[in-house]
Amino acid sequence: VLGGLRKRLLSPYPFIRRLISTLVLAEHEGGLVKPSSMSSVAAARAISEENPISILLGGTGPTLQEAASHAASFHPSISQVLIADSEKLKHPLAEPWADLIHLVQGKGGYSHIIAASTSFGKNVMPRAAALLDVSPITDVTTISGPQLFVRPIYAGNALCTIRYAGSDPCMLTIRPTAFPLSSMTSGRVSDTAAISQVDLSTFSEESNGKSRWLNHTSQETECPDLGNARIIITGGRGLKNAENFKLIEKLAHKLGAAVGATRAAVDAGYCPNELQVGQTGKIVAPELYIAFGVSGAIQHLAGMKDSKTIVAVNKDEDAAIFQVADYGLVGDLFQVIPELLEKLPEK
Ligand code: FAD
C-alpha cells in the first residue's frame, strides 16, 4: 500500500508532495462516451499509471445513464463515474459546465482536470480554469510527467515544453490523435467503476450568462466521423465547385472513408465547414490521408501532417503538399478520381 501511495505522491520538487488524481470531462452521444473523451483517459494514464480517474458526465435522460455504464466499464483505471443530471447541462454551453467543474473540483480536490481539444473542451475549460484561478494548458500532445507537457505552437512548426508550476488543479486540453486508445493496455474490466450522482443542490440555477442555446444542425451522412476515421479523403480548391466535390464523397463512400476539406473549399461553399481540416478546423491523424487538389498551405498541414500515410494528387509538381506526402502523383484529379472509382472494388 505504501509503495503504491509513494508512486502517486509525485512532484519534480522533492519538498512538495502532491497526490495525483484526475477528473476527465467527458462528452457523450447516443449513450456512448465519445472516443475523443476516451483519449482523455489515455492521457490521464500518461500522467501516472497509479492515477485514480474520475469521469464527469452531464446532461439528462436515459442516454446519460447509458453513457455512465459505458464509461464505468471502459478501463480498470477509472475509479468512479460522476453524473450531473440537469437540464442546464443538456447543451454544451460554457457557463453552466464551467460552474459544474468548479463545483466538482471543490468536492473532489483533483490534481488534474483533462478534456479533449474539441470545440466543447476548448469552450468550457478556459472558463472553468478562470473560475478556479489557474492557467490551463491547451492542445497537449505529450505528457512527460505530472507537471511536464508538450504542445505545438506556430501552427505545429515548433514544440513547446511546459512545466506547470501553478496550484491544483492542473487543467489540460489534449489532442485526441496524440493519445490513441490503442496506447492503453488491457481494456476490459471485471469490476466496473462506481457510478454516483453529483449533488447539484448548490449548483447555480441562474441564467447561462450571456450565452443562449439556439439550435444544433449536422449533416446526415453514412461516412465515419472525421475525428475517428481510419481513412480520410480530402478535397481542396482544385475541385473547382460543389458539384465536382461529389467526386470526393463518392470515393470516400467506396473506401469507407471520412470526407475532409481545405478551408478554401469550405469558404467557396463546396462542402459544410464541419469538414475543414487544419489549424482552424479539425486535427486528424488517420492511417491513410489522401488529398486531391490541395496545395499544402501550412495551416492545412497543421491539421493532418501526423497522418500515418499521406497521398497527394496535384497537377502542380511544386505544390507544398508533396513535401509531406509519402506518395505523390502529379496529375489531373478529374482523370485520377474517375479512374479510381472505376477500378476500386465495391465495398
Ligand atoms: P489552393 O491553395 O488554391 O490550392 C489548390 C490546389 O489544387 C493547387 O495546388 C492546384 O495546383 C491544385 N489543382 C487545381 N486543379 C487541379 C486539378 N485539376 N488536379 C489536381 N490538382 C489541381 N486552410 C485549411 O485548409 N485549413 C485550416 O484550418 C486553415 N486555417 C487557416 C487559418 C488562418 C489564420 C489562415 C490565414 C488561413 C487558413 N487556411 C486554412 C487557409 C490556407 O492558408 C490556404 O488558403 C488553404 O489551405 C488553401 O486551400 P487549397 O489547398 O484547397 O487551395
Side-chain angles (χ1 to χ4, degrees), residues 237 262-263 276-280 293 295 299-300 314 332-333:
R237 186 150 42 193
T262 63
R263 177 155 145 184
Q276 184 179 321
V277 172
Q279 187 187 339
T280 43
S295 60
Q299 296 89 354
H300 185 76
N314 195 306
D332 186 337
L333 67 89

Side-chain angles (χ1 to χ4, degrees), residues 31-33 38 55 57 62-75 78 81 83 188-189 192-195:
L32 295 174
V33 176
M38 292 307 194
I55 306 261
L57 289 164
T63 55
L64 175 64
Q65 307 297 330
E66 286 160 25
S69 308
H70 178 219
S73 58
F74 175 65
H75 196 269
I78 296 169
V81 178
I83 326 182
R188 291 314 301 174
V189 204
T192 56
I195 300 177

Side-chain angles (χ1 to χ4, degrees), residues 146-204:
Q147 277 103 30
L148 206 57
F149 311 101
V150 178
R151 66 186 294 271
I153 54 173
Y154 303 125
N157 281 311
L159 296 175
C160 175
T161 300
I162 297 173
R163 182 180 292 284
Y164 182 73
S167 54
D168 285 353
C170 170
M171 298 187 68
L172 311 171
T173 63
I174 57 101
R175 286 211 179 156
T177 50
F179 298 94
L181 299 184
S182 55
S183 66
M184 292 179 73
T185 47
S186 80
R188 291 314 301 174
V189 204
S190 45
D191 281 338
T192 56
I195 300 177
S196 47
Q197 297 276 347
V198 178
D199 176 5
L200 295 176
S201 54
T202 56
F203 192 44
S204 159

Side-chain angles (χ1 to χ4, degrees), residues 291-296 312-317 319 321-322 329-332:
F292 290 95
V294 172
S295 60
V313 179
N314 195 306
K315 66 180 183 185
D316 174 7
E317 64 179 36
I321 190 86
F322 289 131
L329 177 61
V330 179
D332 186 337

